[in-house]
Amino acid sequence: KNWPSDPGYSGQWESWSFAPKEYPKLDARTRRLGFGGHYDRAWARTAGDPRVIIAVLDSGAYWDQRDLVNKWFLNAAELPPPSDDCQKPENRGDGKRLYDANADGVFNVQDYTRVTGHSQPDFSKACDLRVADANRNGLLDPQDLIAAFSDKKDDDKNGYVDDIAGWDFFRNDNDAYDDTRYGHGNGEAHDSSAEGDNGLAEAGVCPRCRVMPLRVGDSFVADANDFGLAATYAVDIGASVIQEALGTLDN
């Protein structure tokens, strides 16, 4: 039975408690115990919780990654709530607007669109006219919110101006985009947090957790000082997990 219902799941042999049929030549002990991380057994209890924020300290994010676009952490303290056109009738008007406009229990890019669940936040379904498809990738993603709502004010007074969706400690700005397209950090985010049951790719270990991109370098070798700043930021903003696979240089 194909569970979760994403393509390529059976190839994630390192994830499951069972031995896939593609591996027939296994000794009896391995076949009995399994040879993966037993994620399927963990998911029988929980697939995670969107209140859990995983901070990925690496080479940054691909904002156009479709199985992560709904998962990126948004800092409500630096954003206005979605406009009335995104809200339910009872939540329209100044002082009444909710950040979780679609009432699905999590604040993410979907709240600025007319989609929910595992649907993609295609820009054609945007409901907040203040937001444009700034990066022209067809999605309403955190980079579009950064472009629309960066006002050069440190609204949450944490020392990071307009930290709407993580921070770039490598270039010291508020867009953690992996502009070299190195991909290592995005791969880390995918491994931990890729959305499940969306028919796109492999699910992450915690498919319901949220992920915050903190760019500390343009490869998997970073400056230890940037890493230290990012780790402190992650803890202060409320991340539960710091994830990285790096080497660092101490200058």
Side-chain angles (χ1 to χ4, degrees):
K1 182 178 180 181
N2 286 7
W3 184 86
S5 59
D6 289 327
Y9 89 100
S10 61
Q12 290 180 273
W13 58 266
E14 75 281 5
S15 302
W16 313 122
S17 63
F18 57 87
K21 60 184 179 181
E22 291 89 332
Y23 297 84
K25 297 180 180 179
L26 296 174
D27 61 83
R29 180 178 182 276
T30 300
R31 190 166 293 282
R32 174 169 53 85
L33 296 177
F35 56 5
H38 292 231
Y39 302 160
D40 54 316
R41 297 179 67 187
W43 290 345
R45 294 179 176 272
T46 178
D49 189 316
R51 292 173 296 181
V52 174
I53 301 168
I54 300 173
V56 176
L57 281 60
D58 210 292
S59 63
Y62 287 175
W63 298 126
D64 56 355
Q65 181 79 47
R66 286 184 169 265
D67 49 3
L68 283 170
V69 67
N70 293 327
K71 307 300 302 302
W72 299 117
F73 166 81
L74 297 180
N75 182 9
E78 290 281 2
L79 285 166
S83 67
D84 280 350
D85 288 339
C86 305
Q87 302 282 344
K88 294 184 177 182
E90 63 271 23
N91 297 325
R92 293 174 181 170
D94 288 340
K96 297 173 64 178
R97 299 185 188 109
L98 302 179
Y99 284 93
D100 184 13
N102 59 20
D104 66 352
V106 62
F107 174 47
N108 62 9
V109 291
Q110 289 184 335
D111 291 298
Y112 293 88
T113 71
R114 294 185 176 87
V115 300
T116 189
H118 300 300
S119 300
Q120 295 296 293
D122 292 329
F123 188 76
S124 62
K125 298 175 182 176
C127 51
D128 195 318
L129 298 180
R130 297 170 295 180
V131 182
D133 186 9
N135 52 25
R136 299 182 181 182
N137 63 13
L139 298 173
L140 195 155
D141 58 55
Q143 194 172 48
D144 298 324
L145 300 183
I146 291 168
F149 297 120
S150 292
D151 57 7
K152 299 183 180 180
K153 297 179 182 178
D154 186 9
D155 294 305
D156 58 2
K157 296 179 173 56
N158 66 353
Y160 295 90
V161 176
D162 296 321
D163 52 326
I164 288 169
W167 191 263
D168 185 342
F169 289 88
F170 178 63
R171 299 196 187 279
N172 194 31
D173 63 39
N174 69 331
D175 188 345
Y177 176 57
D178 181 354
D179 56 14
T180 61
R181 300 295 286 189
Y182 188 74
H184 193 264
N186 199 81
E188 288 291 313
H190 187 277
D191 288 346
S192 65
S193 309
E195 191 172 29
D197 291 322
N198 59 4
L200 289 174
E202 301 167 350
V205 177
C206 190
R208 295 200 68 231
C209 294
R210 286 183 293 165
V211 61
M212 175 173 31
L214 300 179
R215 191 183 189 211
V216 296
D218 59 355
S219 72
F220 60 84
V221 178
D223 187 315
N225 301 288
D226 292 339
F227 182 90
L229 287 170
T232 302
Y233 175 91
V235 172
D236 286 346
I237 206 166
S240 302
V241 178
I242 289 176
Q243 176 184 351
E244 53 86 15
L246 290 174
T248 58
L249 302 174
D250 185 356
N251 296 319

